[in-house]
Short mmCIF file of all heavy atoms in Angstrom, two decimals:
data_model
loop_
_atom_site.label_atom_id
_atom_site.label_comp_id
_atom_site.label_asym_id
_atom_site.label_seq_id
_atom_site.Cartn_x
_atom_site.Cartn_y
_atom_site.Cartn_z
N ALA A 21 16.79 115.90 73.23
CA ALA A 21 17.74 116.68 72.62
C ALA A 21 18.51 115.86 71.60
O ALA A 21 19.82 116.00 71.41
CB ALA A 21 18.69 117.29 73.66
N GLY A 22 17.91 115.00 70.92
CA GLY A 22 18.51 114.24 69.76
C GLY A 22 19.44 113.17 70.13
O GLY A 22 19.94 112.37 69.27
N LEU A 23 19.49 112.92 71.45
CA LEU A 23 20.34 111.70 71.96
C LEU A 23 19.60 110.42 71.92
O LEU A 23 20.18 109.33 72.11
CB LEU A 23 20.84 112.04 73.33
CG LEU A 23 22.12 111.36 73.72
CD1 LEU A 23 23.35 111.72 72.88
CD2 LEU A 23 22.45 111.66 75.21
N ASN A 24 18.28 110.49 71.69
CA ASN A 24 17.46 109.24 71.72
C ASN A 24 17.78 108.31 70.60
O ASN A 24 18.13 108.92 69.46
CB ASN A 24 15.95 109.56 71.66
CG ASN A 24 15.53 110.83 72.21
OD1 ASN A 24 16.13 111.88 71.84
ND2 ASN A 24 14.66 110.83 73.10
N ASP A 25 17.49 107.14 70.60
CA ASP A 25 17.54 106.16 69.48
C ASP A 25 16.14 106.13 68.88
O ASP A 25 15.15 105.55 69.52
CB ASP A 25 17.87 104.78 69.99
CG ASP A 25 17.98 103.69 68.88
OD1 ASP A 25 17.18 103.86 67.90
OD2 ASP A 25 18.74 102.69 69.10
N ARG A 26 15.94 106.75 67.66
CA ARG A 26 14.63 106.83 67.11
C ARG A 26 13.84 105.52 66.90
O ARG A 26 12.77 105.43 67.12
CB ARG A 26 14.64 107.49 65.70
CG ARG A 26 13.27 107.80 65.15
CD ARG A 26 13.31 108.47 63.79
NE ARG A 26 13.37 109.97 63.92
CZ ARG A 26 12.34 110.70 64.06
NH1 ARG A 26 11.11 110.26 64.15
NH2 ARG A 26 12.53 111.93 64.21
N ASP A 27 14.60 104.47 66.56
CA ASP A 27 13.97 103.15 66.42
C ASP A 27 13.31 102.66 67.74
O ASP A 27 12.28 102.08 67.78
CB ASP A 27 14.88 102.02 66.00
CG ASP A 27 15.39 102.20 64.53
OD1 ASP A 27 14.64 103.03 63.85
OD2 ASP A 27 16.39 101.69 64.09
N VAL A 28 14.07 102.91 68.87
CA VAL A 28 13.51 102.48 70.14
C VAL A 28 12.26 103.40 70.47
O VAL A 28 11.30 102.88 71.07
CB VAL A 28 14.65 102.60 71.23
CG1 VAL A 28 14.10 102.47 72.62
CG2 VAL A 28 15.69 101.60 70.90
N VAL A 29 12.40 104.73 70.33
CA VAL A 29 11.30 105.63 70.56
C VAL A 29 10.08 105.17 69.89
O VAL A 29 8.97 105.08 70.41
CB VAL A 29 11.71 107.02 70.26
CG1 VAL A 29 10.50 107.97 70.49
CG2 VAL A 29 12.86 107.56 71.07
N GLU A 30 10.13 104.81 68.56
CA GLU A 30 9.01 104.37 67.82
C GLU A 30 8.50 103.14 68.36
O GLU A 30 7.20 102.97 68.45
CB GLU A 30 9.45 104.27 66.29
CG GLU A 30 9.69 105.54 65.60
CD GLU A 30 10.19 105.37 64.24
OE1 GLU A 30 10.43 104.21 63.77
OE2 GLU A 30 10.35 106.47 63.47
N MET A 31 9.27 102.18 68.63
CA MET A 31 8.84 100.88 69.35
C MET A 31 7.97 101.13 70.53
O MET A 31 6.89 100.64 70.69
CB MET A 31 10.08 100.02 69.58
CG MET A 31 9.68 98.76 70.44
SD MET A 31 11.22 97.83 70.80
CE MET A 31 11.04 97.91 72.59
N VAL A 32 8.63 101.99 71.39
CA VAL A 32 7.81 102.16 72.78
C VAL A 32 6.51 103.05 72.54
O VAL A 32 5.54 102.58 73.04
CB VAL A 32 8.73 102.97 73.72
CG1 VAL A 32 8.11 103.35 75.01
CG2 VAL A 32 9.99 102.12 74.05
N VAL A 33 6.58 103.99 71.71
CA VAL A 33 5.39 104.82 71.43
C VAL A 33 4.28 103.96 70.79
O VAL A 33 3.08 104.06 71.17
CB VAL A 33 5.70 106.07 70.59
CG1 VAL A 33 4.54 106.66 69.95
CG2 VAL A 33 6.57 107.08 71.33
N GLU A 34 4.68 103.11 69.87
CA GLU A 34 3.62 102.29 69.16
C GLU A 34 3.08 101.21 70.10
O GLU A 34 1.92 100.78 69.90
CB GLU A 34 4.24 101.67 67.90
CG GLU A 34 4.37 102.77 66.77
CD GLU A 34 5.31 102.30 65.63
OE1 GLU A 34 5.45 101.12 65.52
OE2 GLU A 34 5.67 103.22 64.91
N ASP A 35 3.88 100.75 71.12
CA ASP A 35 3.34 99.72 72.05
C ASP A 35 2.52 100.38 73.11
O ASP A 35 1.90 99.59 73.96
CB ASP A 35 4.58 99.06 72.72
CG ASP A 35 5.07 97.93 71.80
OD1 ASP A 35 4.59 97.75 70.78
OD2 ASP A 35 6.13 97.29 72.28
N ALA A 36 2.54 101.58 73.31
CA ALA A 36 1.90 102.35 74.40
C ALA A 36 0.35 102.01 74.55
O ALA A 36 -0.11 101.65 75.62
CB ALA A 36 2.13 103.88 74.41
N PRO A 37 -0.45 102.17 73.52
CA PRO A 37 -1.85 101.96 73.63
C PRO A 37 -2.17 100.54 74.12
O PRO A 37 -3.06 100.27 74.91
CB PRO A 37 -2.50 102.17 72.28
CG PRO A 37 -1.51 103.17 71.60
CD PRO A 37 -0.06 102.79 72.23
N ALA A 38 -1.42 99.51 73.67
CA ALA A 38 -1.64 98.18 74.10
C ALA A 38 -1.21 97.90 75.61
O ALA A 38 -1.83 97.19 76.37
CB ALA A 38 -0.82 97.23 73.18
N ALA A 39 -0.19 98.64 75.97
CA ALA A 39 0.18 98.58 77.38
C ALA A 39 -0.87 99.16 78.30
O ALA A 39 -1.15 98.51 79.33
CB ALA A 39 1.50 99.32 77.64
N ILE A 40 -1.45 100.26 77.89
CA ILE A 40 -2.58 100.77 78.64
C ILE A 40 -3.74 99.81 78.75
O ILE A 40 -4.35 99.58 79.83
CB ILE A 40 -3.09 102.14 78.02
CG1 ILE A 40 -1.97 103.10 77.86
CG2 ILE A 40 -4.29 102.70 78.86
CD1 ILE A 40 -1.37 103.66 79.18
N ALA A 41 -4.06 99.16 77.63
CA ALA A 41 -5.18 98.23 77.58
C ALA A 41 -4.96 97.04 78.60
O ALA A 41 -5.81 96.55 79.18
CB ALA A 41 -5.41 97.66 76.13
N ARG A 42 -3.68 96.64 78.56
CA ARG A 42 -3.38 95.47 79.48
C ARG A 42 -3.47 95.97 80.99
O ARG A 42 -3.96 95.12 81.88
CB ARG A 42 -1.93 94.97 79.31
CG ARG A 42 -1.90 94.06 78.05
CD ARG A 42 -0.54 93.37 77.91
NE ARG A 42 0.51 94.18 77.45
CZ ARG A 42 0.82 94.55 76.28
NH1 ARG A 42 0.11 94.08 75.31
NH2 ARG A 42 1.73 95.40 75.96
N LEU A 43 -3.27 97.19 81.25
CA LEU A 43 -3.32 97.62 82.63
C LEU A 43 -4.83 97.82 83.01
O LEU A 43 -5.22 97.53 84.18
CB LEU A 43 -2.64 99.01 82.76
CG LEU A 43 -1.18 98.95 82.78
CD1 LEU A 43 -0.54 100.34 82.68
CD2 LEU A 43 -0.55 98.23 83.97
N VAL A 44 -5.64 98.28 82.06
CA VAL A 44 -7.07 98.23 82.23
C VAL A 44 -7.54 96.93 82.65
O VAL A 44 -8.41 96.63 83.54
CB VAL A 44 -7.81 98.83 81.01
CG1 VAL A 44 -9.34 98.66 81.16
CG2 VAL A 44 -7.50 100.38 80.80
N GLU A 45 -7.16 95.79 81.84
CA GLU A 45 -7.53 94.47 82.07
C GLU A 45 -7.04 94.03 83.52
O GLU A 45 -7.81 93.25 84.30
CB GLU A 45 -6.81 93.46 81.15
CG GLU A 45 -7.50 93.40 79.81
CD GLU A 45 -6.57 92.52 78.87
OE1 GLU A 45 -5.99 91.51 79.26
OE2 GLU A 45 -6.55 92.93 77.65
N LEU A 46 -5.99 94.54 83.99
CA LEU A 46 -5.50 94.21 85.37
C LEU A 46 -6.33 94.92 86.36
O LEU A 46 -6.16 94.65 87.63
CB LEU A 46 -4.03 94.56 85.52
CG LEU A 46 -2.96 93.64 84.94
CD1 LEU A 46 -1.57 94.19 85.15
CD2 LEU A 46 -3.06 92.22 85.67
N GLY A 47 -7.11 95.81 86.07
CA GLY A 47 -8.02 96.47 87.02
C GLY A 47 -7.51 97.86 87.43
O GLY A 47 -8.04 98.40 88.54
N VAL A 48 -6.57 98.47 86.71
CA VAL A 48 -6.22 99.85 87.08
C VAL A 48 -7.33 100.84 86.79
O VAL A 48 -7.79 100.89 85.65
CB VAL A 48 -4.89 100.30 86.34
CG1 VAL A 48 -4.55 101.78 86.64
CG2 VAL A 48 -3.74 99.40 86.64
N PRO A 49 -7.80 101.58 87.77
CA PRO A 49 -9.05 102.31 87.63
C PRO A 49 -8.75 103.72 87.08
O PRO A 49 -8.99 104.78 87.76
CB PRO A 49 -9.59 102.44 89.03
CG PRO A 49 -8.43 102.43 89.92
CD PRO A 49 -7.40 101.53 89.18
N PHE A 50 -8.29 103.76 85.79
CA PHE A 50 -7.97 105.08 85.16
C PHE A 50 -9.12 106.01 85.15
O PHE A 50 -10.30 105.53 84.93
CB PHE A 50 -7.40 104.85 83.73
CG PHE A 50 -6.11 104.22 83.65
CD1 PHE A 50 -5.94 102.97 83.05
CD2 PHE A 50 -4.90 104.85 84.18
CE1 PHE A 50 -4.76 102.36 82.94
CE2 PHE A 50 -3.70 104.16 84.09
CZ PHE A 50 -3.61 102.97 83.46
N ASN A 51 -8.88 107.25 85.34
CA ASN A 51 -10.01 108.29 85.18
C ASN A 51 -10.62 108.30 83.78
O ASN A 51 -9.86 108.16 82.78
CB ASN A 51 -9.47 109.67 85.45
CG ASN A 51 -9.04 109.89 86.97
OD1 ASN A 51 -8.65 108.96 87.52
ND2 ASN A 51 -9.28 111.11 87.41
N THR A 52 -11.92 108.31 83.74
CA THR A 52 -12.63 108.29 82.39
C THR A 52 -13.41 109.60 82.28
O THR A 52 -13.74 110.29 83.20
CB THR A 52 -13.59 107.10 82.33
OG1 THR A 52 -14.34 107.12 83.51
CG2 THR A 52 -12.84 105.78 82.27
N GLU A 53 -13.76 109.87 81.03
CA GLU A 53 -14.60 110.88 80.70
C GLU A 53 -15.65 110.42 79.67
O GLU A 53 -15.30 110.04 78.58
CB GLU A 53 -13.72 112.04 80.03
CG GLU A 53 -14.34 113.44 80.04
CD GLU A 53 -13.32 114.47 79.65
OE1 GLU A 53 -12.40 114.15 78.75
OE2 GLU A 53 -13.35 115.59 80.16
N GLY A 54 -16.86 110.22 80.08
CA GLY A 54 -17.85 109.59 79.27
C GLY A 54 -17.40 108.10 79.16
O GLY A 54 -17.08 107.49 80.24
N ASN A 55 -17.26 107.49 78.02
CA ASN A 55 -16.85 106.12 77.97
C ASN A 55 -15.37 106.03 77.41
O ASN A 55 -14.98 105.05 76.89
CB ASN A 55 -17.75 105.25 77.07
CG ASN A 55 -17.95 105.90 75.70
OD1 ASN A 55 -17.28 106.97 75.42
ND2 ASN A 55 -18.76 105.38 74.92
N THR A 56 -14.65 107.08 77.39
CA THR A 56 -13.21 107.07 77.05
C THR A 56 -12.31 107.48 78.29
O THR A 56 -12.84 108.00 79.23
CB THR A 56 -12.92 108.05 75.89
OG1 THR A 56 -13.18 109.38 76.32
CG2 THR A 56 -13.65 107.73 74.67
N LEU A 57 -11.04 107.10 78.23
CA LEU A 57 -10.12 107.42 79.22
C LEU A 57 -9.88 108.99 79.26
O LEU A 57 -9.70 109.57 78.12
CB LEU A 57 -8.74 106.72 79.02
CG LEU A 57 -8.80 105.25 79.08
CD1 LEU A 57 -7.45 104.59 78.59
CD2 LEU A 57 -9.11 104.79 80.59
N HIS A 58 -9.89 109.52 80.51
CA HIS A 58 -9.54 110.92 80.56
C HIS A 58 -8.05 111.12 80.35
O HIS A 58 -7.26 110.54 80.96
CB HIS A 58 -9.97 111.52 81.89
CG HIS A 58 -9.59 113.03 82.08
ND1 HIS A 58 -8.44 113.45 82.70
CD2 HIS A 58 -10.26 114.13 81.64
CE1 HIS A 58 -8.44 114.74 82.70
NE2 HIS A 58 -9.44 115.19 82.06
N LEU A 59 -7.73 112.19 79.47
CA LEU A 59 -6.35 112.46 79.24
C LEU A 59 -5.95 113.86 79.66
O LEU A 59 -6.68 114.81 79.55
CB LEU A 59 -6.09 112.44 77.66
CG LEU A 59 -6.50 111.16 76.95
CD1 LEU A 59 -6.36 111.25 75.46
CD2 LEU A 59 -5.59 109.98 77.43
N THR A 60 -4.73 113.96 80.35
CA THR A 60 -4.28 115.23 80.79
C THR A 60 -3.06 115.50 79.98
O THR A 60 -2.59 114.72 79.17
CB THR A 60 -4.04 115.27 82.26
OG1 THR A 60 -3.72 116.53 82.71
CG2 THR A 60 -2.94 114.38 82.76
N ARG A 61 -2.53 116.78 80.11
CA ARG A 61 -1.40 117.24 79.35
C ARG A 61 -0.27 117.58 80.22
O ARG A 61 -0.55 118.18 81.33
CB ARG A 61 -1.82 118.35 78.46
CG ARG A 61 -0.70 118.87 77.48
CD ARG A 61 -1.16 119.91 76.55
NE ARG A 61 -0.02 120.50 75.85
CZ ARG A 61 -0.17 121.58 75.03
NH1 ARG A 61 -1.32 122.26 74.95
NH2 ARG A 61 0.84 122.01 74.46
N GLU A 62 0.87 117.37 79.85
CA GLU A 62 2.04 117.67 80.58
C GLU A 62 3.04 118.41 79.81
O GLU A 62 3.06 118.44 78.54
CB GLU A 62 2.66 116.44 81.29
CG GLU A 62 1.78 115.92 82.30
CD GLU A 62 2.38 114.66 83.13
OE1 GLU A 62 3.30 114.03 82.60
OE2 GLU A 62 1.82 114.40 84.17
N GLY A 63 4.09 119.11 80.46
CA GLY A 63 5.15 119.85 79.75
C GLY A 63 5.87 118.98 78.79
O GLY A 63 6.14 117.80 78.89
N GLY A 64 6.06 119.60 77.53
CA GLY A 64 6.78 118.87 76.52
C GLY A 64 5.88 118.10 75.55
O GLY A 64 6.28 117.68 74.47
N HIS A 65 4.65 117.88 75.89
CA HIS A 65 3.77 117.11 75.11
C HIS A 65 2.90 118.08 74.26
O HIS A 65 2.37 119.04 74.78
CB HIS A 65 2.76 116.27 75.84
CG HIS A 65 3.37 115.11 76.51
ND1 HIS A 65 3.59 113.84 75.84
CD2 HIS A 65 3.89 114.84 77.79
CE1 HIS A 65 4.23 112.97 76.63
NE2 HIS A 65 4.40 113.51 77.81
N SER A 66 2.83 117.70 72.91
CA SER A 66 1.95 118.59 72.02
C SER A 66 0.43 118.36 72.13
O SER A 66 -0.31 119.13 71.52
CB SER A 66 2.50 118.42 70.60
OG SER A 66 2.36 117.08 70.21
#
């Protein structure tokens, strides 16, 4: 509802793929579909 700090939001969103990659390295067994990670959708996400 506009109360976020856009600079912080951008920093976190842009760091997300690398954070997932580090968790894969640590051995988190994320669900896959073929040879990519399976993605689900939740409320509020486009």
Side-chain angles (χ1 to χ4, degrees):
L23 201 63
N24 333 55
D25 178 333
R26 182 177 278 275
D27 289 344
V28 171
V29 176
E30 288 174 358
M31 171 186 116
V32 174
V33 163
E34 287 167 18
D35 278 358
I40 304 294
R42 282 190 287 276
L43 292 168
V44 171
E45 275 173 41
L46 280 174
V48 177
F50 291 118
N51 289 33
T52 53
E53 202 168 31
N55 56 3
T56 59
L57 293 172
H58 178 262
L59 302 173
T60 185
R61 186 174 169 190
E62 293 182 339
H65 287 277
S66 57

